[in-house]
Amino acid sequence: SPLVAITGTLLAVTAVPYLAFLGLYAWVGPSGSPAEKSEAKPTVSVVLPTYNESQIVETKLEDLLALDYPMEKVELIVVDSSTDDTREIIREYFADLEAPDLTLIEEDERRGLAPALNEAYEAAEREMVVKTDCDSKLPQNVLREAAANLSDPKVDAVTGRNVEVLGGSGVESGYRGVQSHIQQLESHLDSTLIFHGPFSAFENDALLPIDPNSLADDTELALKIRRQGGRVIFDPAVQYKEASHSAFVKRRKQKDRRAMGLIRLLVQHRDALGEYGKYGKLVLPFNWWFMIVSPWLLTLTLVVGTVAAIASLGTAGAALPVAVGLFTFLGQRDALGPAQALYSLFDTQVSLLRASVELLRGKG
Ligand code: GDD
C-alpha cells in the first residue's frame, strides 16, 4: 500500500545519514586523540562552580588535591552562589594549605551557572584552564593528559570521556559509549561539538565570554573557540566519572535540559554551517541531523508505520506500537542486554524531541 511505501521511504531517509556516518567511521578508523600529544606541565587554573554543595565539596577538594600534578602550578578558582555553608567548608579546608592557591568568588545571589563561569574564567590567570563540576570524579592523570593535548599548537581545547556513570543508569552509559565513538570521529575530521561539563580544558588565551543565558556553557565555549580558529577535540584518554541521576524523572529533566541547550546553540550558530573546514561541512551538519531533524523524522516514521501496519494487517498491526512500548519499558529498566545502547540512542532522540517541542512553545 502507499502507506507502507511512505514508511519505507521515511525509514530510508532517516537511516541514510547514520549509515553515511558509519561508513565514514569505518573509512577514517579514528582511534585516540588526533592531537600531536607531548608531555607538558603548564600552569593550571581549575574552575569549580558551586551551588549548595556542602555535602560533597570536601570530597571534590580531596579529589583535586590527589591529582598527579605539581600543585604549586595550580590555582583553584571557586565561584560560589550557595545559600548553605559550602564556602565556609572550602575556606576551612584551605586554611593551612600552601598549594594550590585559592581564589574564592562569592556571589551574593544566584545569577545562574553561565554568569558565574564567566566571572571565574575572567579571574583565571594560568595557562591551561580546566572546568569541572562538584559531583564528578577525576582520575589522577587527567591534568597531564589534557596538557599533552593542548601542547599541540593547533589544539585550543580538549574534553574527555565519561568512563562510568556514578549512581549508575545503564541508559546513560549505553549512550555515552556510542557518543564516544562519534566524538572521536568528529575530532579526527576536525573538531568535536559537545564539550562535557565534568571535565573540559581550554587554553587560557583562547577563552571567550559565554552567553549568560546559556544552557550548554561548555559546548558553547568550545564552539566559539573553534570559530575563532583553534581545534577543539575529544580524547578518550582524558577521563572522568560523572554522577547521574538514577531517579527517572530527575534524569529525564537533566537530559531534556541539556538537549534544549544544545539545540538552541546549534540554531544560534547556524551561520557556521558550511564554514570552518570539515567542522562546518561534516560535524555541524551531522549534529543538526541528529539533534534537530532525526527526532522528528523518527516520530513521523513511527506514526505513519503504525497507521500502515494497522491498515494492512488489521489489529495484528497494533503489534508495532506494542513492540515500541515494550522496547521502551525494558530499555528504561536496563533490561535489553546488547540492544541497550540502541535504546539509549532512542531515549536521546526522545529527549531531543521533547526539547524541540518546548523550544517551539517558547520555553527554555
Ligand atoms: N556558582 C554557581 N552558580 N554554580 C552553580 C550554579 C549556579 O547558579 N548552578 C550549578 N552550579 C554548579 C554545581 O554546584 C556543580 O558544581 C556544577 O555547577 C554543575 O551543576 P549541576 O547541577 O551538576 O549541572 P548539570 O549536571 O545539570 O549540568 C551539566 O550541564 C551544564 C551545561 O552544559 C553539567 O555538565 C555542567 O557542567 C554544565 O555546565
Side-chain angles (χ1 to χ4, degrees):
S1 83
L3 275 176
V4 174
I6 295 173
T7 310
T9 311
L10 281 172
L11 209 55
V13 172
T14 311
V16 162
Y18 289 111
L19 295 176
F21 210 75
L22 270 180
L24 198 58
Y25 186 90
W27 188 51
V28 175
S31 152
S33 166
E36 300 266 344
K37 283 168 81 169
S38 56
E39 208 182 308
K41 289 229 170 70
T43 56
V44 182
S45 301
V46 175
V47 164
L48 176 69
T50 51
Y51 177 70
N52 289 355
E53 302 285 18
S54 61
Q55 301 288 320
I56 57 170
V57 71
E58 200 166 332
T59 310
K60 180 68 184 185
L61 297 178
E62 272 160 17
D63 198 37
L64 289 175
L65 260 95
L67 294 178
D68 178 14
Y69 207 81
M71 279 298 143
E72 60 284 358
K73 289 194 163 203
V74 179
E75 67 169 352
L76 174 67
I77 301 184
V78 179
V79 52
D80 181 55
S81 326
S82 305
T83 51
D84 68 3
D85 54 355
T86 302
R87 63 187 69 164
E88 285 74 30
I89 296 173
I90 296 171
R91 244 191 250 113
E92 205 165 299
Y93 192 91
F94 272 81
D96 303 320
L97 276 183
E98 287 202 354
D101 288 340
L102 169 73
T103 302
L104 180 58
I105 303 170
E106 302 178 40
E107 289 202 308
D108 293 336
E109 66 182 76
R110 188 184 191 190
R111 292 177 300 152
L113 183 53
L117 284 173
N118 274 335
E119 229 182 309
Y121 290 143
E122 191 124 320
E125 285 182 343
R126 310 277 164 105
E127 293 156 300
M128 175 167 97
V129 178
V130 163
K131 145 83 198 308
T132 186
D133 290 338
C134 219
D135 60 358
S136 64
K137 198 165 164 41
L138 306 176
Q140 289 184 349
N141 68 352
V142 75
L143 293 183
R144 284 190 286 116
E145 289 291 346
N149 277 284
L150 294 189
S151 73
D152 181 333
K154 293 201 186 78
V155 175
D156 276 352
V158 63
T159 194
R161 189 159 83 95
N162 192 3
V163 283
E164 186 188 317
V165 179
L166 298 171
S169 148
V171 179
E172 273 301 288
S173 50
Y175 175 59
R176 296 290 163 136
V178 177
Q179 196 182 30
S180 163
H181 289 293
I182 295 174
Q183 294 208 263
Q184 273 183 76
L185 175 58
E186 292 177 340
S187 301
H188 280 260
L189 290 171
D190 180 311
S191 291
T192 193
L193 175 73
I194 294 180
F195 259 55
H196 302 286
F199 187 91
S200 293
F202 308 92
E203 288 284 2
N204 195 339
D205 292 347
L207 288 179
L208 295 151
I210 41 185
D211 178 351
N213 297 316
S214 183
L215 291 180
D217 47 88
D218 312 288
T219 300
E220 181 184 327
L221 184 51
L223 196 159
K224 284 181 165 168
I225 291 175
R226 177 62 193 91
R227 296 194 72 169
Q228 187 176 247
R231 276 180 88 180
V232 297
I233 60 168
F234 170 89
D235 178 2
V238 172
Q239 304 187 339
Y240 63 84
K241 294 179 182 177
E242 183 192 15
S244 148
H245 300 295
S246 43
F248 177 71
V249 175
K250 271 196 164 172
R251 185 171 60 76
R252 183 90 280 161
K253 262 194 169 164
Q254 186 188 40
K255 218 172 161 181
D256 288 1
R257 206 175 128 83
R258 282 183 190 178
M260 201 182 272
L262 291 172
I263 294 171
R264 214 167 63 176
L265 191 67
L266 281 178
V267 174
Q268 277 167 352
H269 286 267
R270 58 192 174 278
D271 60 319
L273 277 171
E275 307 290 330
Y276 313 105
K278 290 188 185 125
Y279 184 67
K281 291 190 178 72
L282 288 170
V283 175
L284 291 180
F286 176 74
N287 281 282
W288 266 82
W289 178 261
F290 182 74
M291 291 187 206
I292 299 179
V293 183
S294 164
W296 291 98
L297 261 181
L298 209 61
T299 310
L300 192 64
T301 309
L302 278 177
V303 171
V304 178
T306 303
V307 176
I310 291 172
S312 47
L313 301 172
T315 41
L320 180 63
V322 170
V324 174
L326 195 65
F327 179 65
T328 308
F329 178 82
L330 293 175
Q332 275 167 8
R333 280 151 193 79
D334 298 338
L336 284 173
Q340 190 61 40
L342 194 65
Y343 173 74
S344 304
L345 263 177
F346 175 77
D347 185 68
T348 302
Q349 293 280 291
V350 172
S351 265
L352 288 159
L353 184 76
R354 289 160 60 107
S356 300
V357 171
E358 289 294 290
L359 285 168
L360 286 174
R361 289 173 60 207
K363 303 243 172 102

